[in-house]
Amino acid sequence: MSQERPSSATMADVARAAGVSTGTVSRALRGQSGVSDAVRRRIVSAAEDLDYVVSPAASGLVTGRTGSVAVLVPFISRWFHARVLSAVHQVLRGAGFEIVLHHVEGTAERREFFGTLPVRRRADGLVVIALSLTDEETERLGELGIPVVGASTRPGGHPSVGIDDVEGAAKAVHHLANLGHEHIGMIRTTDEEGIHQGVSRRRLEGFRSAMEERGLPVARDAVVSAPWGVDGGARAMGELLSLRRPPSAVFAEADDVAVGALRTLRRSGVAVPAGMSVVGFDDSPVAELLDLTTVGQSVHEQGLIAGRLLVEAVRRRAVAEPQVQLETQLVARGTTSAPAKARPDR
Amino acid sequence: MSQERPSSATMADVARAAGVSTGTVSRALRGQSGVSDAVRRRIVSAAEDLDYVVSPAASGLVTGRTGSVAVLVPFISRWFHARVLSAVHQVLRGAGFEIVLHHVEGTAERREFFGTLPVRRRADGLVVIALSLTDEETERLGELGIPVVGASTRPGGHPSVGIDDVEGAAKAVHHLANLGHEHIGMIRTTDEEGIHQGVSRRRLEGFRSAMEERGLPVARDAVVSAPWGVDGGARAMGELLSLRRPPSAVFAEADDVAVGALRTLRRSGVAVPAGMSVVGFDDSPVAELLDLTTVGQSVHEQGLIAGRLLVEAVRRRAVAEPQVQLETQLVARGTTSAPAKARPDR
DNA sequence: TTGAAAGCGCTAACAA
DNA sequence: TTGTTAGCGCTTTCAA
């Protein structure tokens, strides 16, 4: 409750208490060699007695390091982003960094971030989570002069971790095709803000190429777009249901979108999976909740790896394996089955 | 890509370019009075030309301020926490602060935080989100000597924002009682880690007192506990269904728990709401998704207010209204109705 | 209104 | 192994 800052002890206080110079204290406390054990012990205990904490401002001023890493993340309340952030945080804290959060939800915030680069002079590195960058934005990050790492996005030539979205989408298609579906639709997101346009594009590409591979035609109106989220997915499903010939199965770009599709199907009285199969992407908690077949990815691990890549990049200046790609797995649940027509009627 | 830090311009460079002293540059750039307009303009333009950014380390060393605020938050991937964080972030960035994230998921991380207080010397203030603190922990925060604010928790005597959990729970009970329910159960969470024990306790209290007020007895085994989350809720519902006389309605401490209850009911073939009414708490997105009746609260607004309280506390050293309590509203959806027995059979 | 100079608390180079 | 010293890049007196 007492509002007066306890004007904590300085290194000089510790030095005095231990009967040595500040230089020695500095060396001792940072675990550098060249300090006798006896002296080091005296210093450490004096520091503890005085409840001493080194001033990051003062040491940072000398070393040029900040001891913190910035994390740029859109839509923190989306499960995926929060999970990656959580893992990144875990690794970076473990490595002794502070995590400075830069949350950009709208276009304005995004523009401000890249316009002012509030990270300059304030971070030793930057992790970008799930934000597809424009070329200009990538270039701006380059001006930072600090290591940049991407998680579920590829910021220019910087190290990054992610999944093979093309392959993931293809798995969804193959699963449906293997069940006997021939008329498969897809729901994409419009993403006005370009948050995840890269991901979106690649999943569409995977969808198309797998369809082609299976010799299945993609009707022009079988790929519909809607805003991200449940409502968007619901609307898109409505569109598909109003085609002269609706597909028998749908691949949604993300679970959150698939969930909306399921809602429309329920409200329209279309049985799932009998009347319509649905596959999502991400394997989010809601997918399990609704028994949604989906393409899973290890979100936590992506965060862990991104954190490690950054620590590596900050410590030395080269990263062993700069582009990490994790596997996806199709998680078969209750929203997919053979199409009604093709189903042998036993 | 070039890894060399662009050793950005210093204030001395700006001073030289503008033909003034660093003292004047400092005054001008911080908008202090006592600088002629002509000189100020020259300085600002020189700073822009040189792409100058003030070194927070250097200025912090002088002023003693860090320019950043720490946010302590458990389980960032829980919707509630992420939403509050997002709002807090919005306000604090708007006020020019950096947001340093301290995410504590487990007991170990929590102990480490309060043991080492990694915020010392590194933040001008601290926002605690949804973490019920022990007395010792509260005391530790006091040692920080910086303003502390709680969102959805009350850290000792510090300013905070939250809802009236007792009243919120009572609303759930009254809703059910008004529908004719007389035998109402409750699902609590065990919360081994004490994250939200305060909230949990108050919601139970609201449940009990409202039941008493309505003259409804609470059977000893009608209040069951389970771990937080869907699985916990599912298990707890199983327990309730296995009582010799199950309740006709259940109030779950949180939506995430209610969702699990719904799952068990579905799997057990108990119709909702005909056979069992369910009320959650929080009005999370999943509540809308599953058409769950719940007690809503403005999560975003709590974050905004917490942010403002902190800014106030950091700027001056007194806060106008230190304890803010927001209203809850019962959101009636499809999981509540009159009990089957009491229902007039028209 | 401006400049000069001291010093914030540390690290790092150099001496001892 | 330890001490001395010169800054790091700012802000803030105090003079001018």
Side-chain angles (χ1 to χ4, degrees):
Chain A
M1 238 105 314
S2 97
Q3 204 64 292
E4 33 174 339
R5 199 152 315 196
S7 68
S8 33
T10 72
M11 190 174 271
D13 297 329
V14 177
R16 211 171 303 122
V20 295
S21 72
T22 60
T24 306
V25 174
S26 176
R27 282 184 288 256
L29 258 26
R30 279 177 304 146
Q32 288 192 341
S33 62
V35 181
S36 74
D37 273 6
V39 169
R40 186 186 302 271
R41 266 194 298 275
R42 243 187 313 140
I43 290 174
V44 167
S45 110
E48 274 172 5
D49 289 353
L50 294 171
D51 204 29
Y52 173 73
V53 193
V54 58
S55 153
S59 76
L61 187 53
V62 174
T63 63
R65 266 171 272 115
T66 65
S68 54
V69 169
V71 178
L72 180 60
V73 55
F75 296 109
I76 215 181
S77 49
R78 304 234 266 241
W79 166 82
F80 184 91
H81 301 169
R83 290 280 296 168
V84 176
L85 173 58
S86 152
V88 167
H89 178 279
Q90 182 182 327
V91 172
L92 292 179
R93 269 231 72 79
F97 291 101
E98 300 247 272
I99 289 78
V100 176
L101 185 65
H102 288 274
H103 185 217
V104 291
E105 281 208 334
T107 313
E109 287 176 349
R110 180 172 182 165
R111 238 200 306 266
E112 208 208 311
F113 181 90
F114 287 99
T116 65
L117 286 183
V119 164
R120 287 186 297 172
R121 294 249 202 183
R122 300 180 157 276
D124 298 341
L126 172 69
V127 179
V128 181
I129 298 178
L131 189 64
S132 295
L133 304 180
T134 65
D135 289 349
E136 301 89 68
E137 286 170 346
T138 305
E139 201 179 330
R140 282 294 272 165
L141 294 192
E143 296 170 18
L144 244 31
I146 56 175
V148 174
V149 161
S152 192
T153 181
R154 293 193 205 154
H158 301 281
S160 67
V161 55
I163 57 167
D164 188 335
D165 288 288
V166 175
E167 189 201 47
K171 286 182 181 175
V173 170
H174 289 310
H175 173 60
L176 292 170
N178 291 342
L179 287 170
H181 291 276
E182 299 182 339
H183 190 29
I184 307 175
M186 175 169 176
I187 302 179
R188 302 187 63 193
T189 63
T190 46
D191 187 25
E192 317 78 8
E193 282 152 10
I195 300 290
H196 52 134
Q197 52 190 11
V199 167
S200 186
R201 196 177 356 91
R202 289 194 294 276
R203 290 185 187 172
L204 174 65
E205 187 190 324
F207 172 76
R208 286 200 186 284
S209 62
M211 288 292 278
E212 190 174 350
E213 196 181 320
R214 300 297 292 246
L216 300 175
V218 177
R220 234 192 96 273
D221 47 12
V223 176
V224 297
S225 295
W228 175 281
V230 176
D231 290 335
R235 210 173 78 190
M237 192 71 239
E239 274 187 58
L240 288 173
L241 289 181
S242 67
L243 295 178
R244 38 207 156 342
R245 186 169 158 254
S248 64
V250 172
F251 165 52
E253 185 188 302
D255 287 348
D256 277 4
V257 175
V259 162
L262 290 177
R263 193 179 77 188
T264 292
L265 291 167
R266 181 166 20 87
R267 293 190 181 167
S268 311
V270 177
V272 175
M276 180 78 71
S277 285
V278 179
V279 181
F281 204 118
D282 288 343
D283 197 16
S284 66
V286 79
E288 196 193 343
L289 193 63
L290 299 184
D291 204 29
L292 172 69
T293 296
T294 188
V295 181
Q297 56 174 320
S298 353
V299 184
H300 187 72
E301 202 181 342
Q302 286 180 59
L304 294 181
I305 293 174
R308 286 189 213 119
L309 287 175
L310 191 83
V311 172
E312 253 186 273
V314 170
R315 295 228 171 117
R316 352 168 197 171
R317 345 209 69 176
V319 174
E321 197 186 350
Q323 306 293 343
V324 181
Q325 208 159 58
L326 301 183
E327 289 296 312
T328 54
Q329 348 21 70
L330 188 111
V331 182
R333 294 210 181 90
T335 57
T336 42
S337 72
K341 311 167 204 169
R343 191 184 265 159
D345 44 8
R346 7 168 169 117
Chain B
M1 238 105 311
S2 96
Q3 203 64 290
E4 33 172 339
R5 198 151 317 196
S7 68
S8 32
T10 71
M11 190 174 274
D13 297 328
V14 177
R16 210 171 304 121
V20 294
S21 72
T22 60
T24 305
V25 173
S26 175
R27 281 183 288 256
L29 257 28
R30 280 175 306 144
Q32 286 191 343
S33 61
V35 181
S36 72
D37 273 7
V39 171
R40 187 186 302 271
R41 266 195 298 274
R42 244 189 310 144
I43 291 174
V44 167
S45 111
E48 273 171 7
D49 289 352
L50 294 170
D51 204 29
Y52 172 74
V53 193
V54 58
S55 153
S59 75
L61 186 53
V62 176
T63 63
R65 266 171 272 116
T66 65
S68 54
V69 168
V71 178
L72 181 60
V73 54
F75 297 108
I76 214 180
S77 48
R78 305 234 264 243
W79 166 81
F80 185 92
H81 301 168
R83 290 280 296 168
V84 176
L85 173 57
S86 152
V88 167
H89 178 278
Q90 181 183 326
V91 172
L92 292 179
R93 270 231 71 80
F97 290 100
E98 301 248 88
I99 288 80
V100 177
L101 185 65
H102 289 274
H103 186 215
V104 292
E105 281 208 335
T107 313
E109 287 177 348
R110 181 173 182 163
R111 239 199 304 267
E112 207 208 312
F113 181 90
F114 288 99
T116 66
L117 287 183
V119 165
R120 286 186 299 171
R121 294 249 203 183
R122 299 180 158 276
D124 298 340
L126 172 68
V127 179
V128 182
I129 297 179
L131 188 65
S132 295
L133 304 179
T134 65
D135 289 349
E136 301 87 69
E137 286 170 346
T138 305
E139 202 180 330
R140 282 293 273 164
L141 293 192
E143 295 171 19
L144 244 30
I146 56 174
V148 174
V149 161
S152 193
T153 181
R154 293 194 207 154
H158 300 282
S160 68
V161 56
I163 57 167
D164 187 335
D165 288 288
V166 175
E167 190 202 45
K171 286 182 182 176
V173 170
H174 290 310
H175 173 60
L176 292 170
N178 291 342
L179 287 170
H181 291 275
E182 298 182 339
H183 191 27
I184 306 175
M186 175 170 174
I187 303 179
R188 300 189 62 194
T189 63
T190 46
D191 187 25
E192 317 79 9
E193 283 153 9
I195 300 288
H196 52 135
Q197 52 189 11
V199 168
S200 185
R201 194 175 0 88
R202 289 194 293 276
R203 292 184 187 172
L204 174 64
E205 188 190 323
F207 172 77
R208 284 199 186 285
S209 61
M211 288 293 278
E212 192 174 347
E213 197 181 319
R214 301 296 293 244
L216 301 175
V218 177
R220 234 192 95 273
D221 46 14
V223 176
V224 298
S225 295
W228 175 281
V230 176
D231 289 335
R235 209 173 80 191
M237 191 72 239
E239 273 187 59
L240 288 174
L241 289 181
S242 68
L243 295 178
R244 39 208 155 337
R245 184 167 160 258
S248 64
V250 172
F251 166 53
E253 186 188 302
D255 287 347
D256 277 4
V257 175
V259 162
L262 290 178
R263 192 179 78 189
T264 293
L265 291 168
R266 182 169 16 92
R267 292 190 182 166
S268 310
V270 177
V272 174
M276 180 77 70
S277 285
V278 178
V279 182
F281 205 119
D282 289 343
D283 197 16
S284 65
V286 78
E288 196 192 344
L289 194 62
L290 299 183
D291 204 29
L292 172 68
T293 296
T294 188
V295 181
Q297 57 174 318
S298 353
V299 184
H300 186 71
E301 202 180 343
Q302 285 180 61
L304 294 181
I305 293 174
R308 286 188 213 122
L309 287 175
L310 191 83
V311 172
E312 254 186 272
V314 169
R315 295 229 170 118
R316 353 168 194 173
R317 341 209 71 176
V319 174
E321 197 186 351
Q323 307 293 341
V324 181
Q325 208 158 57
L326 301 183
E327 290 297 310
T328 54
Q329 329 51 48
L330 188 111
V331 182
R333 292 208 183 90
T335 58
T336 42
S337 71
K341 310 167 203 166
R343 192 183 264 162
D345 43 7
R346 11 172 167 112

